[in-house]
Each structure stands twice: as structure tokens, then as C-alpha cells.
Amino acid sequence: RGGGGEGLGGGGGARPSSAPPAQHPPKRQAPPPPASRLGGAQRFVTSDTELPFLLGASLPPSGILRAVETNLFSAPAFEHSLDPPGARLYLLVYDPTRRPDTAGGGSGRRTMALRRVGGLLLVGQQQPCEQQAGPQVVARPGTRDFRSLVERRIGVYLQSKFYSSAKTKPDLRRGSHGILASHVTAHPRGGWCIARHFNDLLRELPRSVGGVNVDSVLKEQLHAIATLDSADPHARLYRPIPSSLLGRSGLDSLFSPEEACLLDAALAGHTRLAEAHVTRLNTAEGLDKAMAGLKGSAEERLRKRAIALSIEEELLLTPWSLTSNFQGFKHGRCQLALRGPADPSGRGEAFSYTRLPPPDKPEPGSKPAGRPAGVAA
């Protein structure tokens, strides 16, 4: 999900579940699985309907399925047996970063290392998981949900800038602009409060994130946790309000790691569209009607339709479209085509999370097609 171009700095990644990769034992008594170096938590199911979509419609004859699960996705996993049995497996790790020579000369060298591997899993296509709270799908840029994620992400950024949990008073003279000793005061609950200039805060953020003006959002969030220093208002120095600074649990409630991943996915999709020069649209809804109304000669209409189809394909591949389609399918609001441009394998070996277009409705006043001759009622 790593995107390019736009971003808000750190913010965490997917928070793995407390259990290792999960094994799904049978719903009836079955022989225990063979010994494996790969651990996992067991989860029992009472019916085939409890199985994740990608694990199939029913349990295999062995009654055991293996999957990798996190708070954000579930994916089928298949263990590879070592050949010959009992052989030791190693992973060759290559680091392309040049390291300086110990002698201090030359342009540096790249490193390689061997790491012992306890087992090998092939992880299949990912399936989005239901969240206990918060957004269930990737927010589409330009929507209220997307703006809310950006606002709360900037809120976490301000919390990290205005508060330090260090035991000793931080030395901010190096690498900081205009930070004086008087700008750092002790926090009543421990740690330190740090006054910041508005321009310093704005300098570390992009001007716009998915169409959201960062300058205006930053001003709104600042008034909630800091006050403008009246001694020199032209310097735009903001001093944090100690009671407004949050601890770790408060930060997770404000903006969870799962929400950070969803925002990163939205930013990656927005960047992909921008790189494809798709800047005015972020959804494929209504594009088919626009293609039906293309004007010009037959050759011009054919050329415009080819461009429109390539734009439609990019819009169908956005993270907000794929996650929304899958959640709609799970709750019976739509059907999935299962074959299409969103197949990650590119060879028809995986599922495409694109909506199946609704059947054409008969025009008003038209008669239904008659039954072919020879077909009984």
C-alpha cells in the first residue's frame, strides 16, 4: 500500500492480531494435523458460512484450512514442504544500500546475509476484514470520511510535535528553527510541552492531501490543542494546552493504526490516478452514460471510447472501489463479477472485486420476450 508523492509521515501500519497465522480446524472430530514448524492459533467453525470468502465454499476433506489474518485482511496460506524432509531452509537477504568501508575509502559495499527460516508459506489473495469500529472501507478522496481521516491524522501529528515523553529536557537547538529554552516547559503528568511556530509545523506537511487543503485543517486543529502566544502574535508561536495532550490510548482512539492504513491506501490510489493523468474523476459511476453520449465522427468516437475505457479501468482498480465492492457483496447489496481488470494474478487465477453490472431493464411498454418454441412451461 505504499504510495508515493503524497503523505503525512509516519502513522503506523497494520496492527497484526495478537494470534499468529490462524489454523481453521474442522467442525467435526478429525485427526490432528501433522507436526509443523509454523505455529498458529486454532479457530473452530460450526458451519461453512463462517469461512472467509477466499477460503472456499466448504471445508476440505481433511477439515483443516490455514490462513494469515490481521486486523485488516485475511488471506489463504499454503505451507510448502521441505525437500528433502528435515532439510534446513535459509533465506538470502540482499541489502542494496552501500555501507562505508571500515578503512574509510571507496564508495562503500553492499551486504548479504543468511537467515534461518522455520517454514515457508505461500500467501494468496487478500480479503478485507470487518472492523469492530470505525470505517469499513477505504475512504474515497473528496468525501467527508476522507477529510475526517486527514483531520485526525494531522491531529496526531500535532500531538507528537507539542509533547515529548522524554525523561530529560529535550535539546531542540539542533535541526530546529527558532526553538528557545523558554519554549519547553514541564508537563504536569510528566514529559515536556513544546511551543511551536506555525510555519515550522506547516513546513513538514504537504500543501494538499487528496484535494484537502492542509493549511486550513492545520489551523482548525491548532485552535483545539494550543493557544497563540500573545507576547508576539506576529511570530505565530503556539503554546500547547497541557490538558489537551493525549497519552498512547488517547492517540489510538483519535486515529487508530487501522485507520492510518486505510488513509495510506487512499493516498496511494489517489497518487496512482494522478500519475495516470486522471485528475477530475475518482469513481467510475456514470462513465458508461458519458461514453454513450460521445460526439464526433465514427473515428473520433472510437478513439474517445478507447481513452474512456482506459480511464474506467484505472477507476475500477482504486482501493476505495475494491473494498466498497467487497463489503457490498458480503452484505448482499451487489454481486461481484469475479473476472475482470482487478484480478491480481492477471491470468484468471484470482478474483476480481468489481461489481457485476445490473441486468438491462426492459423499456416501458415493451413486451417480454416470448418462450422459444418447444419449451414447456
Side-chain angles (χ1 to χ4, degrees):
R1 277 186 185 145
E6 292 180 292
L8 294 175
R15 177 189 295 166
S17 57
S18 57
Q23 275 187 325
H24 300 277
K27 55 188 176 182
R28 57 187 179 275
Q29 192 67 26
S36 172
R37 297 179 181 178
L38 298 169
Q42 294 184 342
R43 179 156 60 93
F44 292 85
V45 296
T46 57
S47 66
D48 293 333
T49 58
E50 298 181 21
L51 291 175
F53 170 75
L54 288 176
L55 294 184
S58 61
L59 286 167
S62 64
I64 299 173
L65 289 172
R66 192 186 299 269
V68 173
E69 294 185 333
T70 71
N71 290 5
L72 289 172
F73 70 87
S74 173
F78 307 93
E79 183 176 5
H80 283 235
S81 58
L82 302 182
D83 188 20
R88 294 182 178 181
L89 184 64
Y90 293 88
L91 177 67
L92 178 62
V93 181
Y94 171 68
D95 185 1
T97 306
R98 289 187 178 273
R99 307 292 181 185
D101 293 336
T102 56
S107 59
R109 58 182 180 180
R110 299 181 177 92
T111 59
M112 292 191 297
L114 283 176
R115 293 184 181 177
R116 179 76 180 274
V117 179
L120 187 62
L121 280 176
L122 175 64
V123 181
Q125 185 178 2
Q126 296 180 4
Q127 167 186 329
C129 292
E130 293 274 358
Q131 302 298 313
Q132 295 182 354
Q136 300 294 324
V137 299
V138 176
R140 177 165 54 91
T143 61
R144 185 178 302 176
D145 292 338
F146 179 82
R147 182 180 178 86
S148 175
L149 289 176
V150 173
E151 290 175 348
R152 288 185 281 128
R153 177 64 188 91
I154 293 180
V156 173
Y157 163 77
L158 291 177
Q159 292 278 342
S160 66
K161 288 297 179 182
F162 281 122
Y163 177 69
S164 173
S165 59
K167 295 182 179 180
T168 59
K169 189 174 183 178
D171 183 9
L172 301 175
R173 291 174 297 175
R174 296 181 179 179
S176 299
H177 174 69
I179 299 296
L180 304 177
S182 60
H183 294 172
V184 182
T185 57
H187 192 278
R189 298 194 303 267
W192 306 90
C193 297
I194 307 171
R196 298 282 185 176
H197 290 277
F198 179 81
N199 290 337
D200 290 341
L201 296 171
L202 188 60
R203 188 179 295 112
E204 299 183 15
L205 297 173
R207 285 181 169 269
S208 176
V209 176
V212 177
N213 189 313
V214 173
D215 192 320
S216 61
V217 173
L218 186 61
K219 292 177 181 177
E220 294 173 2
Q221 297 295 319
L222 270 176
H223 293 305
I225 67 172
T227 56
L228 184 63
D229 191 348
S230 58
D232 189 5
H234 298 288
R236 304 182 76 180
L237 179 68
Y238 284 86
R239 295 188 178 274
I241 304 172
S243 60
S244 65
L245 299 180
L246 304 175
R248 173 55 57 186
S249 60
L251 291 176
D252 287 343
S253 300
L254 176 63
F255 191 66
S256 66
E258 290 81 9
E259 290 173 323
C261 290
L262 295 177
L263 177 58
D264 287 344
L267 295 177
H270 186 267
T271 301
R272 177 188 172 95
L273 290 180
E275 292 174 348
H277 305 286
V278 181
T279 57
R280 296 186 180 182
L281 299 174
N282 53 27
T283 177
E285 294 180 3
L287 197 58
D288 53 346
K289 294 182 180 179
M291 285 190 288
L294 293 175
K295 299 180 180 180
S297 62
E299 183 178 353
E300 290 177 347
R301 290 198 303 270
L302 185 62
R303 179 179 60 84
K304 292 178 180 178
R305 181 175 178 81
I307 296 175
L309 289 175
S310 64
I311 294 176
E312 182 183 33
E313 181 172 326
E314 290 292 340
L315 295 174
L316 292 175
L317 293 175
T318 56
W320 48 88
S321 295
L322 299 178
T323 54
S324 176
N325 293 342
F326 189 83
Q327 292 296 338
F329 160 75
K330 286 191 64 177
H331 294 280
R333 296 191 295 267
C334 69
Q335 291 183 327
L336 295 181
L338 300 183
R339 295 290 180 267
D343 175 4
S345 70
R347 300 187 300 271
E349 298 177 355
F351 295 113
S352 175
Y353 296 156
T354 52
R355 290 189 179 225
L356 188 68
D360 296 332
K361 296 182 179 179
E363 297 182 1
S366 61
K367 296 182 180 180
R371 185 178 290 108
V375 178

